[in-house]
Amino acid sequence: MIEPKLRFKADDGSQFPNWERKKIVNVSDRVKVGFVGTCECYYTDESGIRLYRTGNLQKGRLVEDDMKYVLKKFHEANKKSQLHKWDILIARHGNSGNAVLYDSDEEANCLNIVIIRPDLKVINPKFMVENINSASVEKQVCRLKNGSTQVVLNTKAIEDLDVGIPCLPEQHKIAEFLSTIDTVIEKQKETVSAWEERKKGVMQKLFSQKIRFKADDGSEFPEWEEKKLDDVAVRVTRKNKDNITDIPLTISSADGLIDQRDFFNKVVASKDMSGYYLLKKGEFAYNKSYSKGYDFGSIKKLDLYAEGALSTLYICFALNKDENPDFYQKYFDSLFWYLELQKICAEGARNHGLLNVSTNEFFQMKLKVPSSKQEQKKIADCLSSLDEVIEKQKATVAAWEELKKGLLQQMFV
């Protein structure tokens, strides 16, 4: 087989034996599928047994978002789908091929997930997870999919995956090395989260006026004033009449407003965008029909592009020329805006059953803002400085993740 570019040596400096190619079935005690079927009638509260599903397997780790629990009698009756420490879990559909290590002693069960029970006499489970998630094995999984996004991986397909296997001592060294990098990445992510929490605290104090800036001459700024959105902004309804196609596009309001790189996507020139709103750089968009989820209430300012096309389900607006767009973007990110919008939407829900807001209600929403443009600028500059710190910390995470990706490419062939 082709030898990896990056190899480890034994503690005495000698070379480890060459890697061998083996099928997963040949280095596993068992490969099986967890419970397949309907088990909602066995769901219970957190006093039950954890039930891991495809959605809990993400990017090489177990996540506990929307965790389900099942009754003890279900767990005991379905021994085949019970999880043991060091089992390797692989999603059968959706994010198929994504492997995750179960490294807990806690009782758990799983639904529609392939379970690999590695032979611990010849396999380091941490090594094997990284191996299965490598680009080399991913290519094999892609061939199994054969262009279909709905393919379901069965146990035979998993058993036949061909992987490069070094001797167990070298596996231990690789696993320890990659675990060290993972620890650095996780600590860096914790740093990002800590800064994001600090920013939330600062925003809370600034917009509640518990902390006030002073003017450059040391004097107090005037009291804040209450305004409506239409006092400071005007609705944008311009259409893409010339059907400009060389601009980023968001297909529909269902896309939400998260990151502009995801929100706006380049499209082929043949796409008909003549009926879309045309947003200019510095203008804002709000998804009035996005009724739930992480990004509820989010308003984004177009910064990364000169122009962008949006579905007419969005509410678009531009600030008056004398207003500070950076300040208002921070204000729209604050809890105060979120709560006000939530209140308006809840009132609307009682009338028409949907958690959204009409265009008229939107522009009548109340804002509590500094009357001094200088104070607005100081707030915007303060929060922008925190954003810069957070972005640098995120860039450090991305750099470490890219480093690990490069190392994996040299280790697994």
Side-chain angles (χ1 to χ4, degrees):
M1 65 167 283
I2 301 174
E3 285 294 306
K5 294 180 181 179
L6 181 59
R7 293 289 305 274
F8 287 82
K9 292 185 178 181
D11 292 340
D12 62 6
S14 61
Q15 298 284 350
F16 283 121
N18 290 340
W19 288 36
E20 298 178 4
R21 296 213 71 85
K22 296 182 180 181
K23 291 185 177 181
I24 284 181
V25 66
N26 296 326
V27 292
S28 303
D29 288 337
R30 191 176 181 186
V31 180
K32 56 186 177 179
V33 177
F35 182 84
V36 177
T38 301
C39 59
E40 283 86 348
C41 60
Y42 296 101
Y43 284 175
T44 185
D45 57 24
E46 294 183 7
S47 64
I49 305 296
R50 291 175 185 270
L51 181 73
Y52 288 96
R53 300 166 297 153
T54 298
N56 300 116
L57 278 59
Q58 295 182 16
K59 296 183 179 180
R61 65 189 184 94
L62 286 174
V63 297
E64 300 195 354
D65 297 339
D66 193 25
M67 176 58 68
K68 299 297 183 184
Y69 300 83
V70 289
L71 296 170
K72 184 80 170 180
K73 66 178 182 180
F74 173 89
H75 179 66
E76 293 174 346
N78 292 279
K79 296 186 181 298
K80 187 184 79 163
S81 54
Q82 291 177 1
L83 300 183
H84 295 178
K85 190 173 185 178
W86 308 127
D87 281 349
I88 297 171
L89 314 181
I90 297 183
R92 296 184 66 214
H93 58 83
N95 199 14
S96 52
N98 186 27
V100 175
L101 182 64
Y102 186 73
D103 59 357
S104 172
D105 290 312
E106 185 177 353
E107 287 186 304
N109 215 291
C110 69
L111 177 66
N112 204 21
I113 290 173
V114 174
I115 307 169
I116 300 173
R117 191 152 293 156
D119 181 354
L120 300 181
K121 297 187 297 294
V122 295
I123 289 296
N124 178 299
K126 168 67 176 174
F127 163 84
M128 183 56 80
V129 165
E130 297 286 4
N131 200 341
I132 295 172
N133 287 336
S134 69
S136 172
V137 177
E138 184 181 4
K139 290 178 182 177
Q140 297 181 54
V141 174
C142 287
R143 285 196 292 270
L144 291 172
K145 292 180 179 180
N146 195 27
S148 172
T149 58
Q150 300 300 320
V151 69
V152 176
L153 296 179
N154 56 38
T155 53
K156 186 64 170 66
I158 299 297
E159 287 176 343
D160 288 342
L161 289 176
D162 185 57
V163 293
I165 304 291
C167 64
L168 191 56
E170 187 172 5
Q171 290 181 44
H172 291 330
K173 285 184 175 287
I174 292 172
E176 183 179 0
F177 175 69
L178 294 176
S179 292
T180 300
I181 294 178
D182 286 340
T183 299
V184 173
I185 292 173
E186 287 306 311
K187 286 184 176 179
Q188 185 60 35
K189 287 181 178 179
E190 290 173 5
T191 300
V192 171
S193 296
W195 275 105
E196 288 176 335
E197 286 302 312
R198 290 188 190 107
K199 180 189 171 185
K200 287 181 182 178
V202 171
M203 290 179 71
Q204 177 70 14
K205 291 179 179 178
L206 286 174
F207 289 112
S208 66
Q209 302 179 62
K210 290 182 179 178
I211 294 178
R212 293 285 304 274
F213 285 99
K214 291 188 177 182
D216 293 340
D217 61 6
S219 62
E220 302 284 346
F221 283 119
E223 293 299 312
W224 288 27
E225 56 188 354
E226 187 175 282
K227 295 183 177 182
K228 294 179 181 177
L229 183 58
D230 66 0
D231 292 329
V232 299
V234 58
R235 187 181 177 193
V236 171
T237 57
R238 80 173 69 83
K239 294 290 185 68
N240 187 16
K241 292 181 180 179
D242 296 328
N243 195 19
I244 305 170
T245 55
D246 189 25
I247 56 175
L249 167 73
T250 180
I251 301 302
S252 72
S253 61
D255 297 332
L257 285 164
I258 303 173
D259 185 282
Q260 287 186 45
R261 293 177 181 84
D262 298 325
F263 172 48
F264 288 102
N265 299 289
K266 286 289 184 181
V267 294
V268 295
S270 61
K271 176 70 181 180
D272 181 9
M273 299 193 297
S274 58
Y276 288 81
Y277 283 149
L278 186 63
L279 203 66
K280 301 285 188 179
K281 187 172 184 177
E283 295 176 343
F284 294 79
Y286 169 67
N287 186 345
K288 66 179 179 179
S289 62
Y290 195 61
S291 60
K292 61 182 179 179
Y294 169 79
D295 222 40
F296 168 75
S298 180
I299 294 179
K300 295 298 181 186
K301 176 161 60 76
L302 182 61
D303 279 330
L304 299 182
Y305 309 102
E307 294 176 319
L310 301 92
S311 161
T312 53
L313 290 176
Y314 287 90
I315 298 177
C316 302
F317 63 94
L319 292 173
N320 298 335
K321 289 185 178 180
D322 60 337
E323 300 295 343
N324 185 323
D326 293 330
F327 166 79
Y328 278 97
Q329 179 65 82
K330 307 302 181 189
Y331 186 86
F332 295 140
D333 289 339
S334 73
L335 180 63
F336 295 90
W337 167 264
Y338 177 89
L339 293 176
E340 179 68 17
L341 180 62
Q342 190 177 53
K343 182 178 71 174
I344 298 297
C345 289
E347 290 173 355
R350 288 194 292 270
N351 298 323
H352 44 66
L354 295 174
L355 188 62
N356 58 23
V357 60
S358 70
T359 301
N360 182 61
E361 291 170 329
F362 183 77
F363 282 98
Q364 291 300 306
M365 285 185 58
K366 297 175 182 178
L367 314 172
K368 187 78 172 182
V369 297
S371 54
S372 167
K373 297 298 190 289
Q374 187 183 8
E375 187 175 9
Q376 289 185 18
K377 185 177 185 305
K378 284 180 178 286
I379 291 173
D381 290 347
C382 171
L383 296 176
S384 293
S385 296
L386 290 173
D387 285 337
E388 289 177 8
V389 173
I390 292 170
E391 288 306 311
K392 286 180 180 178
Q393 298 296 334
K394 287 182 177 179
T396 302
V397 172
W400 275 103
E401 290 177 333
E402 193 64 26
L403 173 63
K404 180 183 176 182
K405 180 180 177 181
L407 292 170
L408 290 174
Q409 290 174 344
Q410 295 181 66
M411 288 180 182
F412 299 107
V413 295

